Amino acid sequence: MTEVLDAVEADRALKARLRAMWALGDYPQLAADLIGGLGRALVEASGTRAGDRVLDVAAGAGNAAIPAALTGATVVASDLTPELFEAGRRRAAERGAAVTWREADAEALPFAAGEFDRVLSCVGVMFAPHHQASADELVRVCRPGGTISLLSWTPGGFIGQMFAAMKPYAPPPPPGAQPPPLWGDAEHVRGLLGDRVTDLEVRTASVRVDHFAEPAAFREYFKARYGPTIAVYRAIAADPERVAALDRDLAALAARHDRGAGTGRMVLDWEYLLVTARRATGD
């Protein structure tokens, strides 16, 4: 019994740290500046239409939830970090989108089995630490015959490589936590969803980011706005040599991926995996 209580407390503490991390900086502005089109791409791939009941898991400020609502669907945007909802509510109101916002852990969603016709997550559920628990919840809340649609950064793409660059400077992950970019590996996702889904389709694509003039500008932008990057820098703040080394590593990463030579701006292609699947009907 003590071990069970200890595990519950450890998980509660982990989720509190994750919530605090994503509240750092300004993720809603980053998403709007750099990847605003990904939510629309996911909604289109999901086939969401008027009348659908839609859940956006780890929705942030509604990058997918808002375009889903604009189709006429009934949309719930859920996230572990409700601090992100204020920006989402404001943007939804500006666009005339009706969205319900719910604080929720992707690994223990507060919704009934089969409650939604379409379950979406745009670079969101991938950051929940226990992948199988999250996958089980995605499947559980989707009705039989409904669709699950996920967009995740790939391990070999720019953001996956950014996490690899930060890993040596970050505190060790808690036991059982899995790297977020694994959700961008098609075989990993197939294994998580298993035979509970049919018609599983995967494709890779990239979003082009030309927001930055040079590598240092990319690095400073993420140091100021992106929760995971801010958290890593805070962890090494007392060691100026490690801070300088991470500064160099992130700038070098951006320089290696730059496709904008001669244009006066950096051009970065950030690869992602798009997965769509149908919830098996079963017996």
Side-chain angles (χ1 to χ4, degrees), residues 23 70 72 76 107 118 194 269 276:
L70 291 173
V76 176
E107 298 177 5
R118 304 190 192 272
D269 292 325
T276 59

Side-chain angles (χ1 to χ4, degrees), residues 167 170-178:
K167 183 178 179 180
Q178 294 175 280

Side-chain angles (χ1 to χ4, degrees), residues 219-277:
R219 180 192 65 219
E220 296 306 310
Y221 182 97
F222 269 71
K223 287 173 69 172
R225 292 173 178 82
Y226 194 53
T229 305
I230 296 169
V232 171
Y233 271 98
R234 287 189 176 184
I236 61 173
D239 189 338
E241 290 187 1
R242 297 193 80 202
V243 170
L246 181 54
D247 278 349
R248 290 192 297 271
D249 288 350
L250 289 180
L253 171 74
R256 287 197 304 274
H257 284 260
D258 182 17
R259 301 291 183 266
T263 67
R265 295 198 69 79
M266 293 181 64
V267 175
L268 302 170
D269 292 325
W270 295 2
E271 185 181 68
Y272 60 84
L273 181 76
L274 181 60
V275 176
T276 59

Side-chain angles (χ1 to χ4, degrees), residues 16-200:
R17 290 197 301 273
L18 290 172
R19 170 178 171 169
M21 180 186 74
W22 285 105
L24 296 171
D26 190 351
Y27 183 74
Q29 188 60 53
L30 181 151
D33 286 345
L34 307 181
I35 58 171
L38 291 187
R40 293 190 298 274
L42 179 62
V43 170
E44 290 173 4
S46 74
T48 296
R49 58 183 183 269
D52 284 341
R53 302 164 300 163
V54 176
L55 175 65
D56 184 4
V57 179
N63 195 20
I66 292 172
L70 291 173
T71 69
T74 299
V75 179
V76 176
S78 68
D79 201 281
L80 184 67
T81 305
E83 290 87 344
L84 303 174
F85 292 167
E86 181 180 354
R89 290 188 180 101
R90 185 172 62 251
R91 288 174 183 161
E94 289 170 355
R95 299 185 63 186
V99 177
T100 299
W101 304 86
R102 285 283 304 273
E103 180 178 349
D105 180 351
E107 298 177 5
L109 293 169
F111 307 109
E115 186 169 341
F116 298 95
D117 301 303
R118 304 190 192 272
V119 178
L120 316 176
S121 189
C122 184
V123 294
V125 73
M126 64 180 292
F127 291 102
H130 306 111
H131 294 187
Q132 191 62 63
S134 299
D136 292 348
E137 286 295 271
L138 297 176
V139 173
R140 182 184 66 81
V141 301
C142 185
R143 69 164 173 82
T147 59
I148 299 169
S149 303
L150 310 170
L151 191 153
S152 307
W153 302 122
T154 63
F158 181 84
I159 297 296
Q161 289 301 296
M162 185 182 76
F163 275 92
M166 294 192 299
K167 183 178 179 180
Y169 303 92
Q178 294 175 280
L182 277 178
W183 278 92
D185 178 275
E187 292 309 309
H188 182 69
V189 178
R190 285 191 178 95
L192 292 173
L193 298 177
D195 60 7
R196 298 172 299 176
V197 301
T198 63
D199 305 315
L200 189 146

